[in-house]
Amino acid sequence: LAERLQGTLTKIRGKGKVSEQDIKEMMREVRLALLEADVNFKVVKQFIADVKEKALGQEVMKSLTPGQQVIKVVNEELTALMGGEQSKLAVSSKSPTVIMMVGLQGAGKTTASAKLANYLRKKHNRMPLLVAADIYRPAAIKQLETLGKQIDMPVFSLGDQVSPVEIAKQAIAKAKEDHHDYVLIDTAGRLHVDQELMGELSQIKETVEPDEILLVIDAMTGQDAVNVAETFNDQLGLSGVILSKLDGDTRGGAAISVKAVTNTPIKFAGIGEKVDQLEPFYPDRMASRILGMGDVLTLIEKAQTNVDEAKARELEKKMRTADFSFDDFLEQLEQVRSMGPLEDLLGMMPGMKKNKGMKDLQVDEKQIGRVEAIVRSMTKKEKQDPSILNGSRRRRIAKGSGTTIQDVNRLLKQFEDMKKMMKQMTGMQSGKGRKRGKG
Ligand code: GDP
Ligand code: MG
């Protein structure tokens, strides 16, 4: 998915202007990519409609290219689709908070139970009790006990001869007695959703009245994840989802549609087999990951907040009339700098880090600092009219900026060249639409 989208986005990113036709073409690709990733088709349809509308209706921001803007909308909508904000775990007003883990066999319930217990203790200083209520799968109890030992946390079990409802009930009593603040009940799964399983889970639910019923879903299951989530939600009323196995080659389709179809937030993601490989689920990060764009979105946000729109427009006008002084130059330099170190900015661009050829393209911060110092050493008059810079003035500037006279000469030459080029460009462009400044 990531690769495919990225291809399309790269195509569009290079363009100065995006036409309605471009958006259409791009959306067709996005649509295919999402369907290929097994995202529910209804979800895809709605998504495409939303993005098209938003992308078209938007005023074009000076600091972004239209391509970037479309990317931004795609990302925002994708984030919203997965719930927008990070969704927190419930805390009961009276201890213990009871969490029931449900899901199909092999989804990762037992692993997620141990991971969550570990997470609650490490990050929130809680003392959960793990409960082994899967009496059907061979060695399921043993598996939880082994995990419990690994993280040095207690596991409540009554063997496989006592009913899961009874186990859950006694576990709550035990948790109260030992002052555990969370109870995590690991339940049984089946290969497919069936009524017997649902009946048992409903019974546990009625008995222990859990604060959370978390569905553990294998992120690799794609389209099927929606059906599973829908069924569990109808029968039990889910409060959240843990997306397991988000490591590896996951297509991400499940994450996109589960929330949209069931209105149940994804609260955590499993990212490996180890007990500490569980993370709170952040819809915005997942959206970026699906789009495979590195931190390009952070970059876009930065450009948005830091580049003053009106100023940018004015500068652009000046550039076009070649009425561009060192004052303007300085202003532009400041805008670029306010976005952070240039190297960071470059690092955020997709492909920059990976691409070996880019290594040579290191930005010399020192060089920019020198340029800035030189310009700052000029008087007001000199900045407005560099032609008055004779030998003694240049010497003074070199001294004042801690550079050499060669540095000053070089900069003046570059500045003149730049102005000449601008003049030529405006000449070529006149009457042919606006030139767009790069964000
Ligand atoms: P359950 O039947 O729902 O209890 O599933 P298990 O917890 O026993 O997990 C099934 C398999 O998936 C085990 O081999 C786990 O190690 C593995 N597993 C669970 N969560 C993850 C995860 O986030 N990433 C990876 N790579 N494997 C996982
Ligand atoms: Mg299990």
Side-chain angles (χ1 to χ4, degrees):
L1 171 65
E3 250 163 55
R4 170 138 208 179
L5 269 181
Q6 201 160 24
T8 318
L9 292 172
T10 306
K11 228 171 29 191
I12 221 158
R13 195 180 290 135
K15 293 196 179 183
K17 230 181 203 166
V18 176
S19 65
E20 195 170 335
Q21 185 56 38
D22 285 329
I23 293 181
K24 242 189 195 158
E25 204 173 289
M26 180 173 171
M27 284 306 128
R28 191 160 46 230
E29 287 293 322
V30 171
R31 185 174 156 274
L32 274 176
L34 293 174
L35 286 175
E36 251 174 39
D38 262 349
V39 180
N40 186 283
F41 76 92
K42 278 190 227 153
V43 177
V44 175
K45 205 171 156 196
Q46 187 60 47
F47 179 76
I48 297 297
D50 287 350
V51 173
K52 251 189 201 161
E53 192 184 321
K54 293 222 168 111
L56 272 178
Q58 264 193 1
E59 199 192 323
V60 175
M61 289 183 61
K62 193 80 258 152
S63 55
L64 301 182
T65 66
Q68 284 174 324
Q69 243 176 307
V70 176
I71 294 171
K72 190 166 168 287
V73 175
V74 171
N75 182 68
E76 278 169 3
E77 288 301 302
L78 215 49
T79 303
L81 205 60
M82 288 184 286
E85 300 273 286
Q86 205 272 313
S87 188
K88 298 245 166 0
L89 213 54
V91 186
S92 170
S93 52
K94 55 182 204 312
S95 197
T97 301
V98 179
I99 298 177
M100 209 175 140
M101 308 290 255
V102 301
L104 295 183
Q105 200 170 90
K109 294 178 296 299
T110 306
T111 312
S113 302
K115 283 174 171 177
L116 196 54
N118 186 52
Y119 171 87
L120 283 167
R121 187 179 57 188
K122 287 247 165 80
K123 303 282 175 193
H124 296 281
N125 233 343
R126 301 291 185 170
M127 203 50 225
L129 179 65
L130 284 162
V131 181
D134 178 3
I135 59 168
Y136 307 106
R137 193 177 186 180
I141 297 172
K142 190 99 201 76
Q143 185 192 359
L144 191 63
E145 282 173 348
T146 307
L147 287 166
K149 245 186 222 127
Q150 253 179 55
I151 52 175
D152 194 26
M153 297 193 66
V155 173
F156 182 90
S157 93
L158 296 172
D160 58 7
Q161 299 303 309
V162 181
S163 82
V165 178
E166 188 60 28
I167 294 172
K169 203 161 124 190
Q170 290 196 32
I172 305 280
K174 172 78 173 155
K176 282 183 181 153
E177 204 181 297
D178 294 353
H179 304 290
H180 287 285
D181 44 17
Y182 272 89
V183 175
L184 306 179
I185 306 172
D186 176 32
T187 66
R190 295 276 199 283
L191 287 176
H192 299 283
V193 180
D194 72 49
Q195 234 16 75
E196 195 190 339
L197 171 71
M198 286 302 169
E200 182 181 297
L201 294 175
S202 297
Q203 253 185 301
I204 298 178
K205 179 190 170 180
E206 272 159 41
T207 310
V208 303
E209 295 179 346
D211 303 284
E212 290 258 17
I213 300 181
L214 297 180
L215 175 70
V216 181
I217 275 199
D218 182 335
M220 316 260 260
T221 45
Q223 184 76 46
D224 206 36
V226 172
N227 303 328
V228 172
E230 243 173 356
T231 313
F232 272 90
N233 195 32
D234 287 347
Q235 306 263 333
L236 295 168
L238 300 173
S239 64
V241 170
I242 295 182
L243 206 58
S244 70
K245 310 182 196 181
L246 204 51
D247 46 311
D249 267 354
T250 311
R251 298 195 275 182
I256 297 173
S257 34
V258 161
K259 157 77 182 159
V261 171
T262 64
N263 203 25
T264 303
I266 300 165
K267 298 199 171 183
F268 290 92
I271 49 160
E273 293 193 50
K274 299 208 186 74
V275 277
D276 60 352
Q277 289 177 315
L278 181 82
E279 297 182 332
F281 180 83
Y282 292 97
D284 52 344
R285 291 183 201 168
M286 186 66 196
S288 306
R289 172 184 161 150
I290 289 168
L291 293 172
M293 293 189 297
D295 284 335
V296 72
L297 297 151
T298 318
L299 181 64
I300 291 175
E301 310 273 270
K302 277 199 169 198
Q304 239 178 335
T305 46
N306 288 317
V307 178
D308 185 310
E309 296 259 324
K311 262 189 195 166
R313 211 155 298 168
E314 199 178 305
L315 275 174
E316 199 204 55
K317 208 169 111 201
K318 278 189 176 161
M319 279 173 135
R320 270 185 291 138
T321 54
D323 178 21
F324 188 78
S325 73
F326 266 115
D327 276 323
D328 302 319
F329 181 74
L330 210 56
E331 206 168 273
Q332 204 177 42
L333 208 60
E334 266 160 24
Q335 289 219 342
V336 172
R337 292 204 119 185
S338 71
M339 291 168 71
L342 276 179
E343 296 215 27
D344 286 4
L345 288 177
L346 281 184
M348 283 181 205
M349 317 258 258
M352 277 298 193
K353 263 178 254 174
K354 286 165 261 166
N355 197 334
K356 277 192 202 122
M358 289 294 175
K359 263 195 191 142
D360 306 331
L361 206 136
Q362 278 202 357
V363 181
D364 191 347
E365 285 274 339
K366 264 200 216 122
Q367 176 65 23
I368 291 171
R370 264 199 297 275
V371 166
E372 203 179 339
I374 291 173
V375 179
R376 288 202 187 284
S377 295
M378 294 178 189
T379 65
K380 213 169 170 179
K381 215 166 143 201
E382 286 163 354
K383 275 186 238 169
Q384 289 300 326
D385 184 11
S387 71
I388 64 171
L389 287 168
N390 57 19
S392 74
R393 281 177 192 263
R394 291 182 192 206
R395 246 191 314 278
R396 192 204 77 240
I397 290 168
K399 226 174 146 201
S401 57
T403 58
T404 65
I405 195 145
Q406 285 84 0
D407 288 330
V408 177
N409 287 339
R410 199 177 312 126
L411 177 64
L412 290 174
K413 169 97 173 47
Q414 280 168 351
F415 188 76
E416 282 315 310
D417 289 349
M418 194 169 88
K419 275 179 82 163
K420 243 184 250 156
M421 209 171 74
M422 279 181 205
K423 220 176 207 161
Q424 275 170 8
M425 272 162 63
T426 22
M428 278 187 326
Q429 282 223 339
S430 53
K432 274 202 132 189
R434 292 154 55 83
K435 181 191 169 322
R436 195 170 297 281
K438 273 195 192 155

